[in-house]
Amino acid sequence: MIMEEHPFPGAKIADSSFLDASSERSQCSKCLKSRKYYCYNCFIALPNIASRLPHVKLPIHVDIIKHPSEIDGKSTSPHAAVLAPDEVTIHTYPCIPHYDSDKVLLIFPCAESLTLAQIASTAKEKSNRVKSAQECSDRSAVDTDKTQCSEVVSSDSVTVPHESTNKQQCFGDQNENLSVSNSFSGEDTGKTLKVSDPGIKFSSKRPCDKVDAASGADDDDDDDDDGPSPSKRLKETPSLPFNRVVFIDSTWNQTRNIVHDERLKISLATGLPKVELHSRNTHFWRWQEGTPKTYLSTIEAIYYFMRDVHEMFISKEYNNEYDNLLFFFCHLYSKIRKTSKGGKGIKAYERNGTK
């Protein structure tokens, strides 16, 4: 079957035609080796195109553990490191970081793998339990303060000259405690500060006040009956139940060697969740004997994972935030499609008669 003209329908990817004008190889500014487009060892773009590349912001950090036998120039993992340098780190095996199993996901399909939907369901149940416990704690703290307040008023009322002052101070403390509980819990911040917590400092600003990122001005300055304008309102990313995801960049046989590494097995034993992505067909041109069409390239896997995370944990509305992760992939795909007349003679596009 011929290669599709648009392998990722609906994706909005930056124009890459300027890469065709960069036909000659040039030196990497860091290692000085001859490269084209980017350096797959230093993970930086070449100086002649660096300013024209799209920059992708990811919601969580990505670690890629690359097998040393994986051919650097043919791997797609550098695509992610070059296009999203702030959130992507590539480690070459046997270098494996130490991970906190409570906040890290490993993308690896196996019998024990979970889906993101299962991760989301578990996180929601945990969040509800924590919220209920916090609400009980808040009610208990307020009830305790009311009792203490009543006792203070009762004891101080014996001395008539100080009765009014002590009542005012007592109820002032009580009101302040109630204000702390109401302002710092629930939907505003997701956190609760106990009234007995030491070292809490208060400000005349409301806890939900924001500072405009561009001007440094408070949102309150531009508030009207309808609230601040969209351009002034800061968009916050909801707290995710994980802050890092690990991908393995290698052939399928090499992947098993990495997963069975003792250091990673220790992490797995402590609960590092393995996640299997929703099934999708790959558009990668590299052929791997015996692998199904659903085995994605590294950059495809990262792209689809970010989309799934966004739509499941951040917003149901996806506005092409991560499409440019496929910038280099789609450019190379288009060139291969053109030179091979639709993928003729390329095993990856001939298996099972379809792609």
Side-chain angles (χ1 to χ4, degrees), residues 121-133:
S121 177
T122 301
K124 184 176 181 180
E125 291 176 0
K126 182 178 179 181
S127 176
N128 289 338
R129 289 196 300 269
V130 171
K131 184 176 180 180
S132 296

Side-chain angles (χ1 to χ4, degrees), residues 38 40-41 66 70-76 78-79 286 332:
Y38 58 85
Y40 45 74
N41 295 123
K66 187 176 73 68
E70 181 71 5
I71 301 174
D72 293 332
K74 294 184 177 181
S75 170
T76 63
H79 298 184
R286 287 182 65 187
L332 295 173

Side-chain angles (χ1 to χ4, degrees), residues 210-215 217-219 222 228-234:
K210 301 292 187 294
V211 177
D212 179 62
S215 66
D218 295 345
D219 281 346
D222 297 303
S229 64
S231 62
K232 293 289 184 180
R233 190 181 298 117
L234 292 182

Side-chain angles (χ1 to χ4, degrees), residues 159-177:
T159 307
V160 176
H162 298 283
E163 180 179 5
S164 175
T165 302
N166 287 330
K167 281 186 178 180
Q168 181 179 2
Q169 181 63 45
C170 176
F171 289 121
D173 292 342
Q174 180 181 342
N175 290 336
E176 182 179 45
N177 288 328

Side-chain angles (χ1 to χ4, degrees), residues 146-214:
K146 286 182 178 179
T147 302
Q148 292 175 347
C149 175
S150 177
E151 292 174 353
V152 171
V153 172
S154 177
S155 62
D156 286 350
S157 62
V158 176
T159 307
V160 176
H162 298 283
E163 180 179 5
S164 175
T165 302
N166 287 330
K167 281 186 178 180
Q168 181 179 2
Q169 181 63 45
C170 176
F171 289 121
D173 292 342
Q174 180 181 342
N175 290 336
E176 182 179 45
N177 288 328
L178 290 172
S179 175
V180 173
S181 177
N182 293 336
S183 298
F184 285 81
S185 64
E187 298 180 355
D188 288 340
T189 63
K191 298 181 179 178
T192 302
L193 298 181
K194 296 182 180 179
V195 293
S196 58
D197 286 345
I200 299 177
K201 297 182 178 180
F202 301 95
S203 169
S204 59
K205 268 186 185 300
R206 299 192 306 272
C208 57
D209 286 344
K210 301 292 187 294
V211 177
D212 179 62

Side-chain angles (χ1 to χ4, degrees), residues 65-330:
I65 301 177
K66 187 176 73 68
H67 195 280
S69 298
E70 181 71 5
I71 301 174
D72 293 332
K74 294 184 177 181
S75 170
T76 63
S77 59
H79 298 184
V82 172
L83 296 169
D86 296 334
E87 288 87 28
V88 178
T89 305
I90 298 179
H91 308 274
T92 300
Y93 184 78
C95 176
I96 297 179
H98 174 73
Y99 292 117
D100 176 2
S101 60
D102 292 334
K103 286 291 187 178
V104 182
L105 301 180
L106 172 64
I107 305 302
F108 184 74
C110 64
E112 297 80 23
S113 294
L114 303 173
T115 64
L116 275 177
Q118 290 172 314
I119 297 288
S121 177
T122 301
K124 184 176 181 180
E125 291 176 0
K126 182 178 179 181
S127 176
N128 289 338
R129 289 196 300 269
V130 171
K131 184 176 180 180
S132 296
Q134 289 177 339
E135 290 174 348
C136 289
S137 176
D138 289 345
R139 287 195 295 268
S140 176
V142 171
D143 291 341
T144 300
D145 283 348
K146 286 182 178 179
T147 302
Q148 292 175 347
C149 175
S150 177
E151 292 174 353
V152 171
V153 172
S154 177
S155 62
D156 286 350
S157 62
V158 176
T159 307
V160 176
H162 298 283
E163 180 179 5
S164 175
T165 302
N166 287 330
K167 281 186 178 180
Q168 181 179 2
Q169 181 63 45
C170 176
F171 289 121
D173 292 342
Q174 180 181 342
N175 290 336
E176 182 179 45
N177 288 328
L178 290 172
S179 175
V180 173
S181 177
N182 293 336
S183 298
F184 285 81
S185 64
E187 298 180 355
D188 288 340
T189 63
K191 298 181 179 178
T192 302
L193 298 181
K194 296 182 180 179
V195 293
S196 58
D197 286 345
I200 299 177
K201 297 182 178 180
F202 301 95
S203 169
S204 59
K205 268 186 185 300
R206 299 192 306 272
C208 57
D209 286 344
K210 301 292 187 294
V211 177
D212 179 62
S215 66
D218 295 345
D219 281 346
D220 284 347
D221 295 340
D222 297 303
D223 281 355
D224 52 28
D225 293 339
D226 298 324
S229 64
S231 62
K232 293 289 184 180
R233 190 181 298 117
L234 292 182
K235 182 179 180 181
E236 294 184 356
T237 299
S239 178
L240 301 177
F242 44 85
N243 56 24
R244 189 174 295 263
V245 59
V246 180
F247 291 85
I248 297 176
D249 182 24
S250 67
T251 64
W252 178 242
N253 291 332
Q254 294 168 346
T255 295
R256 293 188 179 277
N257 294 335
I258 295 177
V259 170
H260 292 148
D261 184 279
E262 288 299 322
R263 293 164 296 172
L264 202 52
K265 286 173 67 177
I266 291 174
S267 295
L268 291 172
T270 59
L272 186 64
K274 289 165 288 194
V275 174
E276 184 170 358
L277 300 180
H278 178 68
S279 181
R280 297 174 174 96
N281 287 349
T282 182
H283 295 283
F284 198 24
W285 46 90
R286 287 182 65 187
W287 165 253
Q288 290 191 44
E289 186 72 34
T291 59
K293 296 180 294 183
T294 54
Y295 278 29
L296 305 173
S297 67
T298 303
I299 193 64
E300 288 175 300
I302 295 174
Y303 167 69
Y304 285 126
F305 175 81
M306 292 301 165
R307 282 204 59 168
D308 290 346
V309 167
H310 184 93
E311 294 171 358
M312 193 167 296
F313 294 94
I314 299 176
S315 172
K316 292 183 179 179
E317 183 178 355
Y318 177 68
N319 294 314
N320 309 99
E321 286 87 347
Y322 318 116
D323 289 359
N324 277 322
L325 284 172
L326 300 169
F327 177 80
F328 287 119
F329 186 94
C330 285

